[in-house]
Amino acid sequence: MSHARFGSLLAREVVDVRHDLEGMDRGFWAVVAGFEGRVTAVRFADVDRDAPPAPPSPWAPLDRRWHSTLDHAAYLAGVREVRRRVAEGEVYQVNLCRVLSHRLDEAADLDGLAVLLAAGNPAPHAARVYVPEADLDVVSASPEAFLVRDGGRLESRPIKGTAPVLKEMLAKDYAENVMIVDLVRNDLQQVCRPGSVRVDHLCAPEEHPGLVHLVSTVSGELLPGTTWPDVFAATFPPGSVSGAPKSSALKAIADLERGPRGPYCGAVGWVDADRDRAELAVGIRTFWAEHDHDGARWLRFGTGAGITWGSDAQGEWEETELKAVRLIGLASGRVQP
């Protein structure tokens, strides 16, 4: 049965499926936006805001080889190319990503994976969206808030800077964060009241299973009459997973990455138009199932790192490994919850 779960919020009974953000002026919607811009919004009729935890569901560990769109050598070459572009003044920062894939049985139910992640990698913006009529089969353990709305207040909490422990965070990690905070400020200023955009927190450490992040908070008051298409036009894709300047970073991503990111680095979350509230996470630490052109079913998972002039290519590769190791380990049965 189609459903969407966000923490204790459980939505069922699909009444509408859209591939844009127009008309979301009433009802409760689950939203999955791919990094490349494809949006799927699903309206549900039944919403339980205090649902019990998801019941146990089986998950068979994935024990075969994971394939990466960029192997070790290709990723290191990509980092070197980004540094060259920085030296040429084309860009300041590029989030360079790769997507891991594993063959998946048709009978495999990602509800089981969602339960496993909830136990082994709890996340503030965990999500499970299963709507087969809209080709959505997504499980997210995202720690990052892309857009949080409460009435007229809009907030974004970009993450830049990752290390196993806080004392191993580099000066480059703090610089990354500040660059993206400036970009997010500029994005929000396009749809917020003049003078209302502010940085509430800068480079605050936040611990998650197996690693620590630097998280900043940027907020503003929306201009009257602002719609969700307006907000996305100003802010999407998220700055923390693209780079700065965003237009130049997106060009570098298109040149260097092999294949689309899909829901990874897009947005996963909900919009409650009746209550004028929303919570959309950046689609990181996210699995999704899909079929390829030959009909084979695959489980995908993306990982990446922010590249600046101060980047060490091998160090950036190791950051992508750090971000993936626990979640891939849980899915593969190598890490116990």
Side-chain angles (χ1 to χ4, degrees), residues 181-245:
V181 165
D182 192 47
L183 185 152
V184 171
R185 287 176 59 249
N186 290 333
D187 284 353
L188 292 189
Q189 283 170 356
Q190 298 179 57
V191 289
C192 289
R193 294 178 183 273
S196 71
V197 175
R198 55 178 288 172
V199 178
D200 301 291
H201 304 285
L202 184 64
C203 295
E206 191 173 282
E207 293 186 1
H208 294 275
L211 48 74
V212 62
H213 289 307
L214 298 179
V215 184
S216 295
T217 303
V218 185
S219 65
E221 293 296 323
L222 285 168
L223 291 165
T226 301
T227 65
W228 278 107
D230 296 333
V231 172
F232 261 61
T235 62
F236 194 84
S240 63
V241 288
S242 50

Short mmCIF file of all heavy atoms in Angstrom, two decimals, residues 181-245:
data_model
loop_
_atom_site.label_atom_id
_atom_site.label_comp_id
_atom_site.label_asym_id
_atom_site.label_seq_id
_atom_site.Cartn_x
_atom_site.Cartn_y
_atom_site.Cartn_z
N VAL A 181 26.93 29.16 3.26
CA VAL A 181 26.02 30.04 4.00
C VAL A 181 25.77 31.32 3.23
O VAL A 181 24.63 31.81 3.13
CB VAL A 181 26.59 30.33 5.41
CG1 VAL A 181 25.86 31.52 6.04
CG2 VAL A 181 26.46 29.10 6.29
N ASP A 182 26.82 31.88 2.64
CA ASP A 182 26.65 33.09 1.84
C ASP A 182 25.74 32.84 0.65
O ASP A 182 24.87 33.66 0.31
CB ASP A 182 28.02 33.60 1.38
CG ASP A 182 27.95 35.01 0.81
OD1 ASP A 182 27.33 35.88 1.45
OD2 ASP A 182 28.51 35.23 -0.28
N LEU A 183 25.91 31.68 0.01
CA LEU A 183 25.05 31.33 -1.13
C LEU A 183 23.59 31.17 -0.69
O LEU A 183 22.67 31.67 -1.35
CB LEU A 183 25.56 30.03 -1.76
CG LEU A 183 24.88 29.53 -3.04
CD1 LEU A 183 25.87 28.72 -3.87
CD2 LEU A 183 23.68 28.63 -2.72
N VAL A 184 23.37 30.49 0.43
CA VAL A 184 22.00 30.27 0.92
C VAL A 184 21.36 31.61 1.30
O VAL A 184 20.17 31.84 1.03
CB VAL A 184 22.00 29.29 2.11
CG1 VAL A 184 20.62 29.22 2.76
CG2 VAL A 184 22.43 27.89 1.65
N ARG A 185 22.12 32.51 1.89
CA ARG A 185 21.59 33.85 2.19
C ARG A 185 21.09 34.53 0.92
O ARG A 185 20.00 35.10 0.88
CB ARG A 185 22.66 34.72 2.85
CG ARG A 185 22.98 34.37 4.29
CD ARG A 185 24.13 35.22 4.83
NE ARG A 185 23.85 36.64 4.77
CZ ARG A 185 24.46 37.51 3.97
NH1 ARG A 185 25.40 37.11 3.12
NH2 ARG A 185 24.14 38.78 4.00
N ASN A 186 21.91 34.45 -0.12
CA ASN A 186 21.52 35.07 -1.39
C ASN A 186 20.28 34.41 -1.98
O ASN A 186 19.41 35.09 -2.55
CB ASN A 186 22.68 35.01 -2.38
CG ASN A 186 23.82 35.93 -2.00
OD1 ASN A 186 23.60 36.94 -1.33
ND2 ASN A 186 25.03 35.59 -2.41
N ASP A 187 20.18 33.08 -1.85
CA ASP A 187 19.00 32.38 -2.36
C ASP A 187 17.74 32.84 -1.63
O ASP A 187 16.71 33.17 -2.25
CB ASP A 187 19.17 30.86 -2.19
CG ASP A 187 20.11 30.24 -3.21
OD1 ASP A 187 20.55 30.95 -4.15
OD2 ASP A 187 20.42 29.04 -3.07
N LEU A 188 17.79 32.84 -0.31
CA LEU A 188 16.60 33.20 0.46
C LEU A 188 16.20 34.66 0.26
O LEU A 188 15.01 35.00 0.32
CB LEU A 188 16.83 32.93 1.95
CG LEU A 188 16.97 31.47 2.40
CD1 LEU A 188 16.96 31.39 3.92
CD2 LEU A 188 15.87 30.59 1.82
N GLN A 189 17.17 35.54 0.03
CA GLN A 189 16.85 36.95 -0.16
C GLN A 189 15.95 37.19 -1.38
O GLN A 189 15.26 38.21 -1.45
CB GLN A 189 18.14 37.75 -0.29
CG GLN A 189 18.83 37.99 1.05
CD GLN A 189 20.22 38.57 0.92
OE1 GLN A 189 20.74 38.74 -0.18
NE2 GLN A 189 20.84 38.87 2.05
N GLN A 190 15.94 36.24 -2.31
CA GLN A 190 15.09 36.41 -3.49
C GLN A 190 13.60 36.26 -3.18
O GLN A 190 12.76 36.75 -3.94
CB GLN A 190 15.48 35.38 -4.55
CG GLN A 190 16.91 35.51 -5.06
CD GLN A 190 17.23 34.45 -6.09
OE1 GLN A 190 16.55 34.32 -7.11
NE2 GLN A 190 18.26 33.67 -5.82
N VAL A 191 13.27 35.58 -2.06
CA VAL A 191 11.86 35.34 -1.75
C VAL A 191 11.48 35.83 -0.36
O VAL A 191 10.34 35.61 0.09
CB VAL A 191 11.51 33.84 -1.89
CG1 VAL A 191 11.53 33.41 -3.36
CG2 VAL A 191 12.46 32.97 -1.07
N CYS A 192 12.40 36.48 0.33
CA CYS A 192 12.13 36.95 1.69
C CYS A 192 12.12 38.48 1.76
O CYS A 192 12.66 39.16 0.90
CB CYS A 192 13.17 36.40 2.66
SG CYS A 192 13.02 34.62 2.96
N ARG A 193 11.49 38.98 2.81
CA ARG A 193 11.42 40.43 3.01
C ARG A 193 12.82 41.02 3.12
O ARG A 193 13.70 40.45 3.78
CB ARG A 193 10.65 40.75 4.30
CG ARG A 193 9.18 40.37 4.28
CD ARG A 193 8.55 40.71 5.62
NE ARG A 193 7.16 40.32 5.72
CZ ARG A 193 6.13 41.08 5.34
NH1 ARG A 193 6.38 42.29 4.83
NH2 ARG A 193 4.89 40.66 5.46
N PRO A 194 13.04 42.17 2.49
CA PRO A 194 14.35 42.81 2.60
C PRO A 194 14.73 43.03 4.07
O PRO A 194 13.92 43.50 4.87
CB PRO A 194 14.15 44.15 1.87
CG PRO A 194 13.04 43.88 0.90
CD PRO A 194 12.13 42.91 1.60
N GLY A 195 15.96 42.67 4.40
CA GLY A 195 16.46 42.85 5.76
C GLY A 195 16.09 41.76 6.73
O GLY A 195 16.55 41.78 7.88
N SER A 196 15.27 40.78 6.31
CA SER A 196 14.83 39.75 7.26
C SER A 196 15.73 38.51 7.27
O SER A 196 15.66 37.71 8.19
CB SER A 196 13.39 39.31 6.94
OG SER A 196 13.34 38.55 5.74
N VAL A 197 16.58 38.36 6.25
CA VAL A 197 17.42 37.16 6.18
C VAL A 197 18.59 37.30 7.14
O VAL A 197 19.30 38.32 7.12
CB VAL A 197 17.92 36.92 4.73
CG1 VAL A 197 18.88 35.74 4.69
CG2 VAL A 197 16.73 36.67 3.80
N ARG A 198 18.80 36.29 7.96
CA ARG A 198 19.85 36.35 8.96
C ARG A 198 20.48 34.97 9.13
O ARG A 198 19.86 33.94 8.83
CB ARG A 198 19.31 36.84 10.29
CG ARG A 198 18.13 36.04 10.83
CD ARG A 198 17.66 36.53 12.17
NE ARG A 198 18.62 36.18 13.21
CZ ARG A 198 18.54 36.63 14.46
NH1 ARG A 198 17.54 37.45 14.82
NH2 ARG A 198 19.43 36.27 15.36
N VAL A 199 21.71 34.97 9.63
CA VAL A 199 22.40 33.73 9.99
C VAL A 199 22.22 33.52 11.49
O VAL A 199 22.77 34.27 12.31
CB VAL A 199 23.89 33.79 9.61
CG1 VAL A 199 24.59 32.50 10.03
CG2 VAL A 199 24.06 34.03 8.12
N ASP A 200 21.40 32.55 11.86
CA ASP A 200 21.09 32.31 13.26
C ASP A 200 22.21 31.53 13.96
O ASP A 200 22.47 31.74 15.14
CB ASP A 200 19.78 31.55 13.38
CG ASP A 200 18.62 32.31 12.76
OD1 ASP A 200 18.23 33.34 13.31
OD2 ASP A 200 18.14 31.87 11.69
N HIS A 201 22.82 30.60 13.24
CA HIS A 201 23.93 29.82 13.79
C HIS A 201 24.93 29.60 12.66
O HIS A 201 24.55 29.33 11.52
CB HIS A 201 23.45 28.47 14.33
CG HIS A 201 22.38 28.57 15.37
ND1 HIS A 201 22.65 28.96 16.67
CD2 HIS A 201 21.04 28.35 15.32
CE1 HIS A 201 21.53 28.96 17.37
NE2 HIS A 201 20.53 28.61 16.56
N LEU A 202 26.22 29.67 13.00
CA LEU A 202 27.27 29.48 12.00
C LEU A 202 28.24 28.39 12.46
O LEU A 202 28.82 28.48 13.55
CB LEU A 202 28.04 30.78 11.78
CG LEU A 202 29.12 30.76 10.70
CD1 LEU A 202 28.50 30.51 9.32
CD2 LEU A 202 29.90 32.07 10.69
N CYS A 203 28.37 27.36 11.63
CA CYS A 203 29.35 26.28 11.85
C CYS A 203 29.18 25.60 13.21
O CYS A 203 30.16 25.32 13.92
CB CYS A 203 30.77 26.79 11.70
SG CYS A 203 31.19 27.34 10.03
N ALA A 204 27.93 25.32 13.58
CA ALA A 204 27.69 24.62 14.83
C ALA A 204 27.98 23.13 14.65
O ALA A 204 27.50 22.52 13.69
CB ALA A 204 26.24 24.82 15.28
N PRO A 205 28.77 22.50 15.54
CA PRO A 205 29.03 21.06 15.40
C PRO A 205 27.78 20.25 15.74
O PRO A 205 27.03 20.59 16.66
CB PRO A 205 30.15 20.81 16.41
CG PRO A 205 30.04 21.91 17.40
CD PRO A 205 29.50 23.10 16.66
N GLU A 206 27.56 19.19 14.97
CA GLU A 206 26.39 18.34 15.17
C GLU A 206 26.83 16.89 14.97
O GLU A 206 27.32 16.53 13.90
CB GLU A 206 25.29 18.72 14.19
CG GLU A 206 23.94 18.08 14.46
CD GLU A 206 22.86 18.64 13.55
OE1 GLU A 206 22.37 19.76 13.82
OE2 GLU A 206 22.52 17.97 12.56
N GLU A 207 26.66 16.06 15.99
CA GLU A 207 27.11 14.68 15.93
C GLU A 207 26.03 13.78 15.36
O GLU A 207 24.85 13.91 15.69
CB GLU A 207 27.53 14.19 17.31
CG GLU A 207 28.77 14.89 17.85
CD GLU A 207 29.26 14.29 19.16
OE1 GLU A 207 28.65 13.32 19.63
OE2 GLU A 207 30.26 14.80 19.70
N HIS A 208 26.46 12.84 14.51
CA HIS A 208 25.60 11.80 13.95
C HIS A 208 26.35 10.48 14.03
O HIS A 208 27.57 10.49 14.27
CB HIS A 208 25.23 12.15 12.50
CG HIS A 208 24.37 13.37 12.39
ND1 HIS A 208 23.00 13.33 12.51
CD2 HIS A 208 24.70 14.67 12.19
CE1 HIS A 208 22.52 14.56 12.39
NE2 HIS A 208 23.53 15.39 12.20
N PRO A 209 25.68 9.35 13.86
CA PRO A 209 26.38 8.06 13.99
C PRO A 209 27.62 7.98 13.10
O PRO A 209 27.53 8.09 11.88
CB PRO A 209 25.31 7.05 13.56
CG PRO A 209 24.01 7.70 13.92
CD PRO A 209 24.23 9.16 13.63
N GLY A 210 28.77 7.86 13.71
CA GLY A 210 30.01 7.64 12.99
C GLY A 210 30.71 8.87 12.47
O GLY A 210 31.81 8.76 11.91
N LEU A 211 30.13 10.07 12.66
CA LEU A 211 30.77 11.28 12.14
C LEU A 211 30.18 12.52 12.79
O LEU A 211 29.21 12.46 13.54
CB LEU A 211 30.63 11.36 10.60
CG LEU A 211 29.25 11.13 9.97
CD1 LEU A 211 28.32 12.30 10.17
CD2 LEU A 211 29.39 10.84 8.49
N VAL A 212 30.82 13.67 12.50
CA VAL A 212 30.33 14.96 12.99
C VAL A 212 30.29 15.93 11.82
O VAL A 212 31.13 15.86 10.91
CB VAL A 212 31.21 15.50 14.13
CG1 VAL A 212 32.63 15.74 13.67
CG2 VAL A 212 30.62 16.76 14.74
N HIS A 213 29.29 16.80 11.80
CA HIS A 213 29.12 17.81 10.75
C HIS A 213 29.20 19.20 11.34
O HIS A 213 28.96 19.41 12.54
CB HIS A 213 27.75 17.67 10.08
CG HIS A 213 27.58 16.48 9.21
ND1 HIS A 213 28.44 16.15 8.20
CD2 HIS A 213 26.60 15.53 9.18
CE1 HIS A 213 28.01 15.06 7.59
NE2 HIS A 213 26.90 14.67 8.16
N LEU A 214 29.48 20.18 10.46
CA LEU A 214 29.29 21.59 10.79
C LEU A 214 27.97 22.02 10.15
O LEU A 214 27.78 21.86 8.93
CB LEU A 214 30.44 22.43 10.25
CG LEU A 214 31.83 22.12 10.81
CD1 LEU A 214 32.88 23.01 10.15
CD2 LEU A 214 31.87 22.28 12.33
N VAL A 215 27.09 22.59 10.95
CA VAL A 215 25.75 22.96 10.49
C VAL A 215 25.50 24.42 10.78
O VAL A 215 25.73 24.89 11.91
CB VAL A 215 24.66 22.09 11.18
CG1 VAL A 215 23.29 22.42 10.60
CG2 VAL A 215 24.98 20.61 11.04
N SER A 216 25.03 25.15 9.79
CA SER A 216 24.63 26.55 9.98
C SER A 216 23.14 26.68 9.76
O SER A 216 22.50 25.84 9.12
CB SER A 216 25.40 27.46 9.02
OG SER A 216 26.79 27.45 9.32
N THR A 217 22.56 27.76 10.28
CA THR A 217 21.13 28.01 10.13
C THR A 217 20.92 29.41 9.56
O THR A 217 21.43 30.39 10.11
CB THR A 217 20.40 27.89 11.48
OG1 THR A 217 20.63 26.60 12.03
CG2 THR A 217 18.90 28.11 11.30
N VAL A 218 20.18 29.47 8.45
CA VAL A 218 19.86 30.74 7.80
C VAL A 218 18.33 30.84 7.71
O VAL A 218 17.67 29.87 7.33
CB VAL A 218 20.46 30.81 6.38
CG1 VAL A 218 20.22 32.19 5.76
CG2 VAL A 218 21.95 30.49 6.41
N SER A 219 17.77 31.98 8.07
CA SER A 219 16.32 32.11 8.07
C SER A 219 15.89 33.46 7.51
O SER A 219 16.70 34.40 7.42
CB SER A 219 15.75 31.94 9.48
OG SER A 219 16.19 32.98 10.32
N GLY A 220 14.61 33.56 7.14
CA GLY A 220 14.05 34.81 6.66
C GLY A 220 12.54 34.77 6.69
O GLY A 220 11.94 33.70 6.88
N GLU A 221 11.92 35.93 6.50
CA GLU A 221 10.46 36.04 6.46
C GLU A 221 10.01 36.16 5.01
O GLU A 221 10.43 37.07 4.29
CB GLU A 221 9.99 37.25 7.26
CG GLU A 221 10.23 37.15 8.76
CD GLU A 221 9.44 36.01 9.38
OE1 GLU A 221 8.28 35.78 8.95
OE2 GLU A 221 9.97 35.34 10.29
N LEU A 222 9.16 35.23 4.59
CA LEU A 222 8.73 35.18 3.19
C LEU A 222 7.95 36.43 2.78
O LEU A 222 7.17 36.98 3.57
CB LEU A 222 7.86 33.95 2.95
CG LEU A 222 8.60 32.61 2.89
CD1 LEU A 222 7.59 31.45 2.96
CD2 LEU A 222 9.42 32.51 1.61
N LEU A 223 8.15 36.84 1.55
CA LEU A 223 7.34 37.92 0.97
C LEU A 223 5.89 37.46 0.83
O LEU A 223 5.64 36.29 0.52
CB LEU A 223 7.89 38.31 -0.40
CG LEU A 223 9.24 39.02 -0.42
CD1 LEU A 223 9.80 39.01 -1.84
CD2 LEU A 223 9.07 40.45 0.08
N PRO A 224 4.92 38.32 1.05
CA PRO A 224 3.52 37.93 0.88
C PRO A 224 3.27 37.41 -0.53
O PRO A 224 3.80 37.92 -1.51
CB PRO A 224 2.76 39.25 1.12
CG PRO A 224 3.69 40.08 1.95
CD PRO A 224 5.07 39.72 1.50
N GLY A 225 2.48 36.34 -0.59
CA GLY A 225 2.11 35.78 -1.89
C GLY A 225 3.12 34.85 -2.50
O GLY A 225 2.92 34.36 -3.62
N THR A 226 4.22 34.56 -1.79
CA THR A 226 5.25 33.67 -2.32
C THR A 226 4.71 32.24 -2.40
O THR A 226 4.12 31.73 -1.44
CB THR A 226 6.50 33.69 -1.43
OG1 THR A 226 7.00 35.03 -1.35
CG2 THR A 226 7.59 32.80 -1.98
N THR A 227 4.92 31.59 -3.54
CA THR A 227 4.45 30.22 -3.76
C THR A 227 5.62 29.25 -3.70
O THR A 227 6.79 29.64 -3.75
CB THR A 227 3.78 30.10 -5.13
OG1 THR A 227 4.77 30.35 -6.16
CG2 THR A 227 2.64 31.12 -5.28
N TRP A 228 5.31 27.95 -3.64
CA TRP A 228 6.36 26.95 -3.65
C TRP A 228 7.16 26.97 -4.95
O TRP A 228 8.39 26.82 -4.91
CB TRP A 228 5.79 25.57 -3.36
CG TRP A 228 5.61 25.37 -1.89
CD1 TRP A 228 4.44 25.34 -1.19
CD2 TRP A 228 6.65 25.23 -0.91
NE1 TRP A 228 4.68 25.18 0.15
CE2 TRP A 228 6.02 25.10 0.35
CE3 TRP A 228 8.05 25.18 -0.98
CZ2 TRP A 228 6.76 24.94 1.54
CZ3 TRP A 228 8.77 25.02 0.20
CH2 TRP A 228 8.14 24.90 1.43
N PRO A 229 6.54 27.17 -6.12
CA PRO A 229 7.37 27.34 -7.31
C PRO A 229 8.34 28.51 -7.20
O PRO A 229 9.48 28.42 -7.67
CB PRO A 229 6.33 27.56 -8.42
CG PRO A 229 5.13 26.81 -7.96
CD PRO A 229 5.10 27.02 -6.47
N ASP A 230 7.91 29.59 -6.56
CA ASP A 230 8.82 30.73 -6.34
C ASP A 230 10.01 30.32 -5.47
O ASP A 230 11.17 30.65 -5.77
CB ASP A 230 8.09 31.89 -5.65
CG ASP A 230 6.97 32.48 -6.48
OD1 ASP A 230 7.04 32.41 -7.72
OD2 ASP A 230 6.02 33.01 -5.87
N VAL A 231 9.71 29.60 -4.38
CA VAL A 231 10.76 29.21 -3.44
C VAL A 231 11.76 28.28 -4.11
O VAL A 231 12.98 28.45 -3.98
CB VAL A 231 10.14 28.55 -2.19
CG1 VAL A 231 11.23 27.95 -1.30
CG2 VAL A 231 9.31 29.55 -1.40
N PHE A 232 11.27 27.30 -4.86
CA PHE A 232 12.18 26.37 -5.52
C PHE A 232 12.99 27.05 -6.61
O PHE A 232 14.18 26.74 -6.80
CB PHE A 232 11.40 25.18 -6.09
CG PHE A 232 11.45 23.96 -5.21
CD1 PHE A 232 10.93 24.01 -3.91
CD2 PHE A 232 11.99 22.78 -5.64
CE1 PHE A 232 10.97 22.90 -3.08
CE2 PHE A 232 12.05 21.66 -4.82
CZ PHE A 232 11.53 21.72 -3.53
N ALA A 233 12.37 27.97 -7.33
CA ALA A 233 13.11 28.68 -8.36
C ALA A 233 14.29 29.44 -7.77
O ALA A 233 15.35 29.59 -8.40
CB ALA A 233 12.18 29.64 -9.11
N ALA A 234 14.15 29.91 -6.53
CA ALA A 234 15.20 30.68 -5.89
C ALA A 234 16.25 29.82 -5.21
O ALA A 234 17.42 30.23 -5.11
CB ALA A 234 14.59 31.63 -4.85
N THR A 235 15.88 28.62 -4.76
CA THR A 235 16.76 27.87 -3.86
C THR A 235 17.23 26.51 -4.36
O THR A 235 18.20 25.96 -3.81
CB THR A 235 16.06 27.63 -2.51
OG1 THR A 235 14.88 26.82 -2.74
CG2 THR A 235 15.66 28.94 -1.86
N PHE A 236 16.60 25.95 -5.37
CA PHE A 236 16.88 24.58 -5.78
C PHE A 236 17.83 24.54 -6.99
O PHE A 236 17.69 25.37 -7.88
CB PHE A 236 15.57 23.85 -6.12
CG PHE A 236 15.72 22.36 -6.22
CD1 PHE A 236 15.67 21.57 -5.09
CD2 PHE A 236 15.93 21.75 -7.46
CE1 PHE A 236 15.82 20.20 -5.18
CE2 PHE A 236 16.08 20.39 -7.55
CZ PHE A 236 16.02 19.61 -6.41
N PRO A 237 18.78 23.58 -7.02
CA PRO A 237 19.06 22.57 -6.01
C PRO A 237 19.76 23.17 -4.80
O PRO A 237 20.30 24.28 -4.87
CB PRO A 237 19.96 21.57 -6.75
CG PRO A 237 20.65 22.39 -7.79
CD PRO A 237 19.64 23.42 -8.22
N PRO A 238 19.76 22.45 -3.68
CA PRO A 238 20.37 23.00 -2.46
C PRO A 238 21.83 23.39 -2.68
O PRO A 238 22.59 22.68 -3.35
CB PRO A 238 20.25 21.84 -1.46
CG PRO A 238 19.10 21.02 -1.96
CD PRO A 238 19.16 21.11 -3.44
N GLY A 239 22.22 24.52 -2.11
CA GLY A 239 23.58 25.01 -2.30
C GLY A 239 24.64 24.09 -1.72
O GLY A 239 25.74 23.98 -2.27
N SER A 240 24.33 23.41 -0.61
CA SER A 240 25.33 22.58 0.04
C SER A 240 25.75 21.38 -0.79
O SER A 240 26.81 20.80 -0.57
CB SER A 240 24.82 22.10 1.40
OG SER A 240 23.67 21.28 1.24
N VAL A 241 24.91 20.98 -1.75
CA VAL A 241 25.22 19.81 -2.57
C VAL A 241 25.44 20.19 -4.03
O VAL A 241 25.45 19.34 -4.91
CB VAL A 241 24.13 18.73 -2.44
CG1 VAL A 241 24.20 18.08 -1.08
CG2 VAL A 241 22.75 19.31 -2.69
N SER A 242 25.60 21.49 -4.28
CA SER A 242 25.96 21.95 -5.63
C SER A 242 27.30 22.67 -5.55
O SER A 242 28.33 22.12 -5.91
CB SER A 242 24.86 22.84 -6.24
OG SER A 242 24.46 23.86 -5.35
N GLY A 243 27.32 23.87 -5.01
CA GLY A 243 28.58 24.60 -4.86
C GLY A 243 28.38 26.07 -5.10
O GLY A 243 27.26 26.56 -5.17
N ALA A 244 29.49 26.80 -5.21
CA ALA A 244 29.42 28.25 -5.35
C ALA A 244 30.47 28.75 -6.34
O ALA A 244 31.62 28.30 -6.30
CB ALA A 244 29.64 28.91 -3.98
N PRO A 245 30.07 29.70 -7.21
CA PRO A 245 28.70 30.09 -7.51
C PRO A 245 27.91 28.89 -8.03
O PRO A 245 28.47 28.01 -8.69
CB PRO A 245 28.85 31.17 -8.58
CG PRO A 245 30.28 31.60 -8.53
CD PRO A 245 31.05 30.42 -8.06
#
